[in-house]
Amino acid sequence: MEPFVLYSKNHPYLKVASWESKYPHLVVGMSTRTEQNRNYALHVGDDPKQVVTNRRGLTDSLSFPFESWTCGEQVHMDHIEIVEKSGRGKGRETRDSAFVDTDGLITDESDILLASFYADCVPLLFYCPDIDAIGVAHAGWKGTVANIGVSMIEKFMTLGADKKQILVVIGPAIGYCCYEIDDRVMEPLHRLLPDAYDQSILQKKGTDRYQLDLKKANRQLLMMEGIKEHQILVSERCTQCDDTLFFSHRREANSAGRMVAFIGKKKG
Ligand SMILES: [Zn+2]
């Protein structure tokens, strides 16, 4: 069953309904472009005032204070920050104030909304029920090859999490249907996942052309680390196919806005 269910309020978004119903203090999901084409990232050329307005609107509709919005700079690497109370709100109004060179965020604090931005890359959302810790990681092909998902698992374990209990949801991203790659991407991925062809993660299409299932690649890397199938949910949604819900860098190039994937624990 598709884990990301469209929930329409002032700011329609996709919520991870099964996590929210089992753990009612969690707010977890991903924005959509439905209605206002809202962009949530601050890149060069984006209107910062509009982006902050969009972020405020979303936090309002999630019943989180805007001050809780916390994000990293995102540079397609594998650096992870553990967010303490003092880091709450970093990056909420300017890119300069975000966690520098950071693609993964973890916290066990309440009232911090971890936010991460996407237009085809893979969102990885984490919850460790035993230590009540949450996380989000941005995994494009570079982050996947850097194995950021497994680095997140290792970080959670240093905080005391039991690997057998860690839950992961892999969000909407460019699907196998649409993601054509070349040798530059295939080679490092194949080194990391020698069985990628047998597992239908990679398929050869012609000279220097391959289809890649980046969501499945992330799932497989987590499973190689000992995370079991039943601990991982995977969205079927493809950001390039569905232009009603999603921005897509492949489809729209530099004019693509960014969705936000988020997870937070409500204040008790
Ligand atoms: Zn597609």
Side-chain angles (χ1 to χ4, degrees), residues 173-179 237-242:
I174 192 163
Y176 194 44
C177 38
C178 293
Y179 196 29
R237 297 180 186 273
C238 170
T239 47
Q240 185 167 346
C241 285
D242 189 341

Side-chain angles (χ1 to χ4, degrees), residues 231-250:
Q231 293 169 259
I232 310 173
L233 301 173
V234 185
S235 175
E236 299 276 323
R237 297 180 186 273
C238 170
T239 47
Q240 185 167 346
C241 285
D242 189 341
D243 63 359
T244 308
L245 289 180
F246 303 117
F247 297 111
S248 164
H249 192 262
R250 280 275 172 127

Side-chain angles (χ1 to χ4, degrees), residues 147 149-150 153-154 157 163 220-227:
N147 219 340
V150 166
I153 300 293
E154 287 166 354
M157 289 169 68
K163 192 192 282 187
Q220 189 60 26
L221 289 166
L222 291 165
M223 286 171 68
M224 285 161 72
E225 181 64 15
I227 306 299

